[in-house]
Amino acid sequence: MEMGRCYSRLQDWTLAVQGFLRAAESYRIAAMLDSAADAFKEAGSHMIQSDQFSHDDIISALTECLSLMDGLTDLRILGELYLSVGVSYCRLRCFQEAVQCFQRALGPVAQQPPLLAAVLHNLGAALNSGGQFTAAVDYHRLAAGLYGSLGCRGDQARCFSNLAFACSQLGDEEEAAESFIHALQGFRDTGDHLAEVQVCESLAECYLRQRKQQKSVQLYKQALSALSHCQQDSSGSVRDRLVERLTAALRQNLTVSLQRPHPLRSHQLRPHSLSPSVTRNSGITQSPGRASNQQPDDQRGEGQGSEATGRQDTAEHCGSPLGGTTEGPEYMSITPGLHR
C-alpha cells in the first residue's frame, strides 16, 4: 500500500495501481478484508486517472471492493468505502451504480454527521446527474442543513447550488432563485470566486426565465466582477461569454422598457369639453306649418336645462329615431389618441 501511495504522490498512476492491486491480493490472502477492500478501492480510483486501463478494468476493481465489504462490521469503514466507490462510479458516469452505493452508505454513517453530510451531498448530486431531480431535492436540503449545523459554508453552498439546479429543472424557478442566492452568499463568505462566477451566471439565467431582465443584468455584472479575481480564465473565454450574455440581457431589458406603457401626464388626463348638442332635422318630428328651428317659448328653457340628460340619453339610445346625436368625443380612452 505504501508503495502505491508513493507512486500516487508522484502522479505515476500506472505504477500506483499495480502497487494497490498487489497489496489487495496480499491482504485478501491474509484475511484482512477491510484492508483488501481499501486497496481495491484505491486501485479503481487511480485507474480512472490513468489512460492505461479500460472501463472493464476499473469496474472489475470496484466490484472486487464491493464483494469484500459484505464481511465488514466497522460502520465507519463501511460508510467510507461505499462513499469512495460511489464517487468513482460517478466519475465513470455510472450514476445508477453510484446512487446504489450512496444509499447503502446511509445506514452505516447515520450516527456520523460529517460522513452523513458527504453521503447525502453526493447522493443528491448523483441523482441530479441521472436526471432524477424530484428524488434529489430532499437530499440536497438535508445535506445543506447538516453542513450548516457543522459550519461547512462552502459545502453547504454547493448543496444549495445543486438544489437550485434541480428546482430549475422541475420548473420551480422561485425556489431555484432563492437557493442560488443562498449558494452565492456561501461562496462569497468562503472567497470562492470561481464558484461565485458560476452561480451568478446561473442565477442571471434563472431571472431571465422569470422575465426579470434588470436583475439578470446586475448578476452578469457581478459575475464579471468576481471573475476579475480568478486566475482560471487565462484564455478569456468565460469573460467573453459573460459579456455576450450581459449585452443580450441589456437589449432585452431595453426592449421591455420600450414596450411597457407609460403613465399619462396630467394635461393628457384633462377631460375634453363636450360640444353643444346639434339636432338634425331628420331626427325631429315637426308640426305642420312650424319651422324646424322653432319651439314654443315654454319648452325652450326646459330643453336647455335638460341638455346633459339629453346627451346621456343619446349615448344610451343612439339607435332610436327619437334620439339626437352629439358631436365630439364622449370620453377619452386610456390609450392616448383613441377616442370613441
Side-chain angles (χ1 to χ4, degrees):
M1 285 290 287
E2 290 304 319
M3 186 63 71
R5 293 193 177 99
C6 288
Y7 283 123
S8 177
R9 285 191 287 269
L10 294 172
Q11 297 187 1
D12 190 332
W13 313 124
T14 302
L15 290 178
V17 167
Q18 293 174 2
F20 289 129
L21 288 176
R22 285 195 296 267
E25 292 300 335
S26 299
Y27 286 133
R28 179 152 55 183
I29 293 172
M32 300 172 64
L33 300 184
D34 53 347
S35 297
D38 185 55
F40 276 120
K41 178 260 295 182
E42 290 291 343
S45 176
H46 284 75
M47 285 179 183
I48 295 173
Q49 300 180 70
S50 172
D51 57 0
Q52 301 298 314
F53 300 93
S54 67
H55 183 273
D56 290 341
D57 292 332
I58 302 169
I59 295 297
S60 176
L62 297 178
T63 302
E64 288 286 352
C65 175
L66 291 173
S67 68
L68 293 170
M69 290 166 60
D70 293 335
L72 302 184
T73 57
D74 188 308
L75 295 181
R76 182 175 185 85
I77 292 176
L78 268 175
E80 290 176 344
L81 287 173
Y82 278 126
L83 176 60
S84 295
V85 173
V87 170
S88 292
Y89 275 125
C90 280
R91 291 163 68 184
L92 292 173
R93 305 192 66 78
C94 298
F95 299 117
Q96 183 176 354
E97 291 81 358
V99 167
Q100 292 173 357
C101 286
F102 295 138
Q103 288 175 335
R104 293 175 71 177
L106 288 174
V109 304
Q111 303 302 318
Q112 304 170 64
L115 265 180
L116 178 58
V119 170
L120 291 169
H121 182 176
N122 283 280
L123 177 53
L127 288 168
N128 266 18
S129 298
Q132 302 178 60
F133 302 109
T134 302
V137 165
D138 287 338
Y139 292 114
H140 295 317
R141 290 175 179 150
L142 289 170
L146 194 50
Y147 276 133
S149 67
L150 295 170
C152 303
R153 290 287 285 143
D155 289 323
Q156 184 187 40
R158 292 181 185 88
C159 291
F160 276 125
S161 182
N162 289 342
L163 173 60
F165 178 75
C167 290
S168 179
Q169 293 299 306
L170 292 171
D172 190 348
E173 297 294 350
E174 290 294 334
E175 184 170 358
E178 183 179 348
S179 298
F180 275 133
I181 291 171
H182 287 309
L184 183 57
Q185 187 59 56
F187 289 132
R188 284 175 176 168
D189 290 346
T190 57
D192 191 338
H193 297 298
L194 182 59
E196 183 181 347
V197 171
Q198 295 169 341
V199 172
C200 281
E201 185 175 7
S202 297
L203 181 55
E205 293 171 0
C206 185
Y207 280 140
L208 282 176
R209 288 191 292 272
Q210 297 180 57
R211 299 184 179 182
K212 298 178 180 179
Q213 286 82 5
Q214 186 59 44
K215 287 187 175 182
S216 70
V217 167
Q218 295 173 358
L219 265 297
Y220 282 127
K221 290 180 179 179
Q222 291 177 28
L224 286 167
S225 176
L227 185 63
S228 65
H229 300 285
C230 300
Q231 304 296 325
Q232 289 87 340
D233 189 34
S234 57
S235 65
S237 59
V238 176
R239 180 178 180 81
D240 291 344
R241 183 181 72 247
L242 289 173
V243 169
E244 180 181 353
R245 293 184 178 180
L246 172 60
T247 303
L250 285 168
R251 288 173 179 167
Q252 288 186 36
N253 189 43
L254 179 60
T255 301
V256 170
S257 298
L258 293 175
Q259 292 176 346
R260 188 177 296 122
H262 298 285
L264 298 177
R265 296 180 181 178
S266 58
H267 73 274
Q268 292 176 304
L269 295 175
R270 190 177 302 148
H272 286 229
S273 59
L274 296 176
S275 302
S277 178
V278 177
T279 304
R280 293 181 180 175
N281 293 338
S282 59
I284 300 294
T285 304
Q286 301 180 14
S287 299
R290 186 180 297 274
S292 62
N293 60 347
Q294 290 179 336
Q295 291 181 345
D297 293 341
D298 58 349
Q299 292 181 0
R300 289 180 183 176
E302 181 181 350
Q304 292 173 354
S306 62
E307 182 179 357
T309 305
R311 287 199 182 93
Q312 181 65 36
D313 290 342
T314 300
E316 293 175 357
H317 306 289
C318 59
S320 169
L322 299 177
T325 62
T326 58
E327 294 182 355
E330 296 174 9
Y331 63 89
M332 177 178 283
S333 66
I334 296 175
T335 306
L338 294 180
H339 299 88
R340 179 178 172 183

